[in-house]
Amino acid sequence: EVHLVESGGGLVQPGGSLRLSCAASGFTFSSYAMSWVRQAPGKGLEWVSTISANGGSTYYADSVKARFTVSRDSSKNTLFLQMNSLRGEDTATYYCAKLLAGSQTHFDYWAQGTLVTVSS
Amino acid sequence: SYELTQPLSVSVALGQTARITCGGNKIRSKTVHWYQQKAGQAPVVVIYRDVNRPSGIPERFSGSTSEDTATLTITRAQGGDEADYYCQVWDSSTAWVFGGGTKLTVL
């Protein structure tokens, strides 16, 4: 059974940094692209970033480009999101999600979400 | 950039049919997925690749697409169907795109 478990969320001041982790199990982690999707309080879903199965390609939403970095450690079956220069508008629940296959496929498994609050 | 437009809310009487639309330029040329998100939970895919239901999703859920609109149809609506619903596509210029979401209320 597929499990995605996130950690690393919390309260951070504007301009600060935070690193999210997503531990995966129940599937061959190194064979699948992984993504981060966020949801601001009371708002809709927003795609944030995707990393290819081998980690060689990364993709970012314009809203986070140059501030966030996605990476993965296939030896530990873990996905990461390094978030720098955080702003109030980055406050959201962050979900890691597995892509079924290529870019046009859907997110077939989602983690439970971790809340990031950017506030002084 | 590519955008998807959904109504903020849809209401349906218990046992009737709900239709949630997702508008996008030439959306028929894209692959549309639909997610259900209940309060306090992570999203779950209910329709993928326009018309396909994952295992465990009732046959009451179906998807269709016309030139500029994708539609999620829920027949015989139940109280347990109350949730937010999101459409999603991949676009070559915008990457992964979600609609703004539609809150379904079952009366």
Side-chain angles (χ1 to χ4, degrees):
Chain A
E1 186 180 357
V2 173
H3 280 293
L4 298 171
V5 180
E6 297 164 344
S7 59
L11 175 64
V12 61
Q13 292 187 340
S17 298
L18 210 57
R19 189 194 200 200
L20 305 183
S21 301
C22 175
S25 62
F27 65 102
T28 305
F29 182 71
S30 59
S31 295
Y32 293 92
M34 297 292 295
S35 298
W36 291 95
V37 176
R38 69 183 180 183
Q39 186 170 36
K43 302 297 184 182
L45 301 173
E46 179 190 14
W47 169 75
V48 172
S49 181
T50 294
I51 185 168
S52 62
N54 65 7
S57 298
T58 56
Y59 311 87
Y60 299 94
D62 288 344
S63 58
V64 306
K65 203 169 291 183
R67 299 188 299 123
F68 289 12
T69 302
V70 63
S71 61
R72 63 193 298 161
D73 184 342
S74 290
S75 69
K76 297 180 179 179
N77 288 351
T78 303
L79 174 73
F80 302 100
L81 185 67
Q82 177 67 44
M83 304 184 294
N84 299 331
S85 302
L86 283 162
R87 308 166 180 166
E89 54 264 39
D90 297 317
T91 294
T93 295
Y94 285 73
Y95 297 96
C96 76
K98 171 184 169 293
L99 268 170
L100 176 65
S103 59
Q104 297 199 42
T105 61
H106 61 284
F107 302 104
D108 60 343
Y109 288 96
W110 298 66
Q112 80 287 354
T114 188
L115 179 61
V116 172
T117 303
V118 183
S119 175
S120 55
Chain B
S1 61
Y2 194 81
E3 295 184 356
L4 296 172
T5 302
Q6 296 183 237
L8 283 176
S9 63
V10 167
S11 297
V12 61
L14 185 68
Q16 297 305 301
T17 297
R19 293 179 179 85
I20 298 172
T21 58
C22 174
N25 185 37
K26 298 181 181 177
I27 198 172
R28 174 174 270 176
S29 67
K30 301 189 180 300
T31 303
V32 183
H33 316 294
W34 289 92
Y35 301 86
Q36 175 193 69
Q37 185 181 33
K38 296 184 177 179
Q41 298 183 20
V44 172
V45 62
V46 292
I47 294 291
Y48 66 95
R49 281 195 278 122
D50 302 328
V51 297
N52 298 280
R53 274 179 296 104
S55 59
I57 300 302
E59 291 182 7
R60 301 184 297 104
F61 288 77
S62 63
S64 62
T65 310
S66 65
E67 183 64 22
D68 293 309
T69 303
T71 302
L72 173 68
T73 300
I74 306 171
T75 59
R76 303 185 301 281
Q78 303 175 0
D81 298 333
E82 284 203 339
D84 294 326
Y85 290 85
Y86 297 88
C87 56
Q88 178 253 312
V89 302
W90 182 85
D91 174 75
S92 59
S93 63
T94 315
W96 290 266
V97 183
F98 288 95
T102 298
K103 181 178 182 61
L104 177 68
T105 301
V106 179
L107 304 172

